[in-house]
Amino acid sequence: MIHPMRVLILSAPVGAGHDAASRAVREQLEEQGATVDIDDGLAMLGLSRIVVDGYRFQILHAAWSWRWMYRASRSPRLIRLLGRWLSWRRASRLLERIERGGYTHVVSAYPLVSAALAGLRRRGRLSVPCSTLITDFDPHPGWLHPDLDQNLAIGHDVAGVDQIQPPVHRFTAAAGARRSVRAEFGIADDARVVLIVGGAWGVGNLTGAARVVDAADGFHAIVVTAKNESLARQLRADRSLHDVTVLGYTDRMADLMAASDALIQNAGGVTSLEAFRVRLPVVMFDPLPGHGEDNARHMSRHGTVVLAQRETDLARLLGDPCYWRDVAPSCSDRAHALFDRPTAAAVIGGWRQSARPIRTRPARAVVRLAIAGALVAGVLEAGHAGEALADGGVSPAHVQSH
């Protein structure tokens, strides 16, 4: 008899994308009858403040430093050492939470949390099946862990992963949203509306995008600055902008997308995934350093978005009739086809249904210790009786990956 799944999803408040993806997977799993909890994995590792505040400062004020850190941390050996350190020094609360909750499966939606889980598996401290939910199209190696049971990815050409459809919450625009939103903001019915977003923190070159769209004949820009109130004030005070609507944090993204003809984004985040679902063409403009640059290249290479590196590129694209007639619909079709894949919940549930036996192997250091102990014991026994050696035994280690 297979009992209902009890799943813990470990997210992180780094922007809003990881939490949004976690909620979408919870929705999918609950439709299958699972019981699902979502918790802050970074908080359990005691890293929330340093990671969230540090990343936000870097992206807003020292983007070059984030690019350098993102590139410098790609070593598999460094990632493995990080996971080992996290599992030894930071993971006690995490392990206690998993054990206390009686979960049948754990899903990580943030790479540092995945690294900690992988470290626990290698040390034989965690037997619960674990998956990592990769929300980047071109993932940093820190996302991928062979010590975990599943690596679930939305990108193409990523080795050693299960491809899934983008994990986004299903939302529906209000009836007549296209016309009502345009009427609300005084936008002409025949204008091309371009929605410009920069994630929950309103980061990136949103000002440059707004100026390009505003300068194009017959276009209107809607800029969502989200929690970046300073940027909203700057844009509203910029007298060089004419046909631009500036919004702060909003829960009306479904209606705004229905009113728009294209979306400009810079990182390949959850807003891009939502646009893919509703067939809204996406342009990646002046991508954020590191993950934004990698995601933009990956998506552009596979034809789901168009990449515009500079303002002149964006202006040329918007003014090209061929883009609107041929390229934009083609990109939308390819992007929407990603939703033909199985959901994350289906893949997680299928792994459990397969009842694949869990294989363990001893941790390397412990194996060496055991072999050395056996050799010494044999030498002593062959010579004369010696003092018995105490053997601590071999602890079970991680579950082999698929």
Side-chain angles (χ1 to χ4, degrees):
M1 177 179 179
I2 298 177
H3 298 284
M5 294 184 71
R6 181 170 176 80
V7 182
L8 174 63
I9 301 177
L10 297 166
S11 186
V14 183
H18 302 283
D19 288 342
S22 297
R23 290 192 297 270
V25 174
R26 177 177 63 185
E27 184 178 83
Q28 297 168 3
L29 285 165
E30 288 177 342
E31 288 176 354
Q32 295 185 359
T35 300
V36 185
D37 295 325
I38 297 178
D39 216 329
D40 185 346
L42 274 183
M44 292 182 203
L45 295 173
L47 296 174
S48 278
R49 185 170 182 179
I50 187 171
V51 172
V52 178
D53 292 350
Y55 172 70
R56 185 171 186 175
F57 178 86
Q58 286 180 291
I59 288 296
L60 288 172
H61 306 293
W64 63 268
S65 67
W66 171 247
R67 179 186 288 112
W68 177 86
M69 182 180 295
Y70 191 83
R71 302 295 179 213
S73 60
R74 298 182 68 87
S75 165
R77 178 172 294 182
L78 178 62
I79 293 165
R80 192 177 179 90
L81 287 173
L82 175 62
R84 183 179 302 171
W85 177 78
L86 288 170
S87 69
W88 276 99
R89 300 294 184 183
R90 293 280 181 172
S92 58
R93 285 181 58 200
L94 184 64
L95 189 59
E96 180 184 356
R97 176 75 169 87
I98 295 170
E99 292 174 343
R100 187 177 67 248
Y103 296 103
T104 62
H105 207 105
V106 176
V107 179
S108 167
Y110 193 72
L112 280 178
V113 180
S114 299
L117 293 174
L120 289 170
R121 295 301 287 272
R122 285 194 296 271
R123 293 176 55 207
R125 299 286 307 281
L126 182 62
S127 60
V128 177
C130 297
S131 305
T132 184
L133 178 66
I134 303 169
T135 53
D136 280 342
F137 278 87
D138 190 5
H140 184 283
W143 271 116
L144 302 166
H145 297 279
D147 301 285
L148 301 183
D149 301 284
Q150 293 174 317
N151 291 278
L152 311 176
I154 59 178
H156 301 81
D157 300 336
V158 183
V161 303
D162 291 295
Q163 290 190 335
I164 59 169
Q165 66 174 244
V168 294
H169 174 72
R170 290 191 291 273
F171 62 84
T172 305
R178 184 175 179 86
R179 177 168 294 182
S180 63
V181 169
R182 287 172 173 240
E184 177 183 353
F185 298 128
I187 304 171
D189 290 341
D190 60 348
R192 289 198 191 277
V193 176
V194 179
L195 181 61
I196 303 169
V197 299
W201 293 341
V203 296
N205 190 9
L206 276 63
T207 300
R211 288 175 177 163
V212 171
V213 175
D214 187 53
D217 291 337
F219 282 77
H220 185 98
I222 299 178
V223 186
V224 178
T225 63
K227 298 178 181 179
N228 194 337
E229 297 176 359
S230 174
L231 176 60
R233 289 193 296 269
Q234 292 175 23
L235 289 172
R236 288 170 181 147
D238 189 339
R239 298 191 176 185
S240 68
L241 299 177
H242 304 289
D243 292 323
V244 176
T245 298
V246 180
L247 303 175
Y249 188 83
T250 178
D251 59 359
R252 302 177 61 190
M253 289 302 297
D255 290 351
L256 295 176
M257 287 187 180
S260 301
D261 299 289
L263 170 76
I264 292 179
Q265 228 264 355
N266 55 34
V270 67
T271 310
S272 295
L273 306 184
E274 293 170 345
F276 288 173
R277 181 179 281 280
V278 298
R279 296 181 182 272
L280 180 65
V282 176
V283 177
M284 295 291 287
F285 167 66
D286 194 5
L288 295 180
H291 65 293
E293 294 166 332
D294 290 355
N295 285 336
R297 282 192 293 266
H298 181 98
M299 290 188 287
S300 175
R301 187 167 63 249
H302 289 279
T304 55
V305 304
V306 172
L307 173 59
Q309 295 279 13
R310 296 171 293 275
E311 292 183 19
T312 52
D313 300 329
L314 180 60
R316 189 181 306 113
L317 177 70
L318 297 180
D320 184 0
C322 181
Y323 169 73
W324 298 101
R325 185 184 64 247
D326 302 320
V327 179
S330 176
C331 287
S332 296
D333 288 343
R334 289 193 183 95
H336 191 266
L338 295 173
F339 292 91
D340 294 335
R341 298 173 175 178
T343 65
V347 176
I348 293 169
W351 185 92
R352 183 171 183 268
Q353 293 289 339
S354 69
R356 175 176 287 189
I358 296 177
R359 296 173 294 167
T360 62
R361 66 185 183 191
R364 188 176 302 171
V366 180
V367 169
R368 290 172 178 169
L369 180 62
I371 292 174
L375 289 173
V376 173
V379 170
L380 291 176
E381 183 177 355
H384 59 276
E387 183 176 315
L389 294 176
D391 182 10
V394 179
S395 60
H398 64 270
V399 175
Q400 292 273 38
S401 68
H402 292 181

